[in-house]
Each structure stands twice: as structure tokens, then as C-alpha cells.
Amino acid sequence: MNITLYSTGCPQCKVLKMKLDAAGIQYNTVSDQATMVALGFHSAPILQVDNTTYKFTDAIKWIREQANG
């Protein structure tokens, strides 16, 4: 599974990072805004799991599902 957190360092980005870390989920972080715009992301954070992208609320739900097994 390839997991990438697209983050600007905003408060929601920090919360998502903290939740990923607490769940023990390994991920890559991309903070380059030009890359995010090129991918069509107009807000952050975005969590990409393989080819699926999640905005903040759905990303939190996904992390909870992974943590609960």
C-alpha cells in the first residue's frame, strides 16, 4: 500500500499527521504546493492511498478503520 500525505502544515494537516503517527501507519509527505496544484488538489490535507484520495474528514475515517483492523 502506497500512502502519501499532501500537507501545507496547516492545523488540519498537523492533526492528520498526528493521527497517522498514532496509528502506526507509514506514509510519505509531500509539502510542495506546486506539486499539489499540478495533481489537481486545491486544498490540504489530502491523503492518497494507492489511487484513492481522501479529504480531511474521510481521511480520519480511513485511519480509524485501519487502526481498528
Side-chain angles (χ1 to χ4, degrees):
M1 192 176 329
N2 186 17
I3 302 170
T4 304
L5 172 62
Y6 293 90
S7 169
T8 61
C10 71
Q12 285 187 335
C13 295
K14 291 176 183 176
V15 167
L16 202 52
K17 181 181 183 326
M18 180 184 69
K19 297 225 180 252
L20 286 163
D21 291 341
I25 297 171
Q26 294 185 0
Y27 59 95
N28 299 313
T29 302
V30 174
S31 58
D32 180 58
Q33 292 182 16
T35 299
M36 290 183 237
V37 171
L39 291 170
F41 303 152
H42 300 289
S43 63
I46 297 289
L47 185 66
Q48 185 173 27
V49 180
D50 294 327
N51 293 321
T52 304
T53 57
Y54 300 96
K55 291 186 177 182
F56 181 74
T57 304
D58 290 330
I60 295 292
K61 289 177 187 176
W62 183 86
I63 293 167
R64 283 189 191 138
E65 289 171 4
Q66 303 311 303
N68 292 332

